[in-house]
């Protein structure tokens, strides 16, 4: 194939241009789109990380983006989530959920919750600390699991490398351990890189993490070029 077409999903939150530029530098024909059909036809897909869980998933459902993303997953097209994009892959989150949210928000412990895309098991909750600052902003270490050490997304990635984070919420400890490629320790130990089949996610921002972050984007482009293997 020529340059793989990678669509960065636009759910109307923030500036996506740094992700597009990073993918273009890595050899992709990258663009943003909010069109479900463009999303379905992409060779690879990125869900970037800006905004709150509730607002993002609500827009994605109303616009048809959520169904398009799930179709892409079913078609085994490679998908990368960044920051909030990773969190949306999970079953539920409680960031920004209004107290009077409708039927898809359920009152359970830690709620109200809103359903995510449900690609991976687990929830996303706020980082809590009386000692450390939240949001968690800045460079922090990424510690690979044995699965992460052999994953193609992390080819050439150094154990304990520092990547750039900016977030107040993270995947909780109910995630499936088999999906966790790396963890970061800040207020608690949370999954910072995950994978389930053809779906990868990074809690940090590779597009803001200098050369090593660019390596991850390049590795993702390589995965797309190889058809998700």
């Amino acid at each position: 194939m020529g340059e793989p077409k990678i669509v960065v999903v636009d759910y109307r939150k923030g500036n996506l241009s740094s992700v597009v530029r990073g993918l273009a530098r890595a050899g992709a024909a990258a663009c943003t789109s909010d069109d479900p059909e463009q999303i379905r036809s992409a060779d690879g897909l990125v869900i970037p990380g800006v905004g709150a869980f509730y607002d993002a998933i609500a827009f994605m459902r109303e616009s048809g983006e959520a169904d398009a993303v799930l179709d892409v997953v079913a078609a085994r097209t490679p998908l990368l989530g960044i920051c909030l994009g990773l969190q949306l892959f999970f079953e539920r989150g409680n960031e920004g959920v209004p107290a009077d949210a409708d039927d898809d928000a359920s009152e359970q412990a830690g709620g109200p919750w809103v359903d995510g895309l449900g690609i991976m098991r687990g929830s996303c909750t706020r980082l809590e600390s009386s000692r450390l600052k939240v949001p968690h902003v800045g460079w922090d270490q990424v510690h690979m699991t044995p699965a992460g050490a052999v994953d193609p997304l992390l080819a050439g990635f150094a154990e304990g490398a520092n990547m750039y984070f900016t977030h107040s919420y993270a995947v909780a400890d109910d995630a499936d351990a088999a999906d966790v490629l790396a963890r970061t320790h800040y207020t608690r130990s949370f999954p910072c890189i995950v994978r389930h089949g053809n779906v990868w996610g990074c809690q940090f921002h590779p597009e803001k993490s200098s050369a090593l972050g660019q390596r991850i984007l390049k590795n993702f482009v390589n995965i797309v070029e190889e058809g998700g293997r």
Side-chain angles (χ1 to χ4, degrees), residues 63 71 96 107 124:
S63 64
D71 288 345
E107 279 284 0
C124 295

Side-chain angles (χ1 to χ4, degrees), residues 107-132:
E107 279 284 0
Q108 300 172 37
W113 297 94
V114 66
D115 291 342
L117 293 169
I119 297 165
M120 301 186 204
R121 287 210 311 247
S123 4
C124 295
T125 56
R126 185 171 168 81
L127 296 171
E128 300 290 353
S129 177
S130 57
R131 186 176 59 86
L132 296 167

Side-chain angles (χ1 to χ4, degrees), residues 83 86-88 90 92 120-127 167 169-176 180 183 188-192 194 203:
C83 195
L86 168 152
Q87 296 174 21
L88 295 172
F90 286 81
R92 59 184 193 163
M120 301 186 204
R121 287 210 311 247
S123 4
C124 295
T125 56
R126 185 171 168 81
L127 296 171
H167 62 119
Y169 287 73
V171 180
D173 60 8
D174 57 353
D176 190 333
V180 179
R183 291 181 169 274
R188 54 181 164 88
S189 177
F190 61 84
C192 66
V194 295
Q203 179 58 63

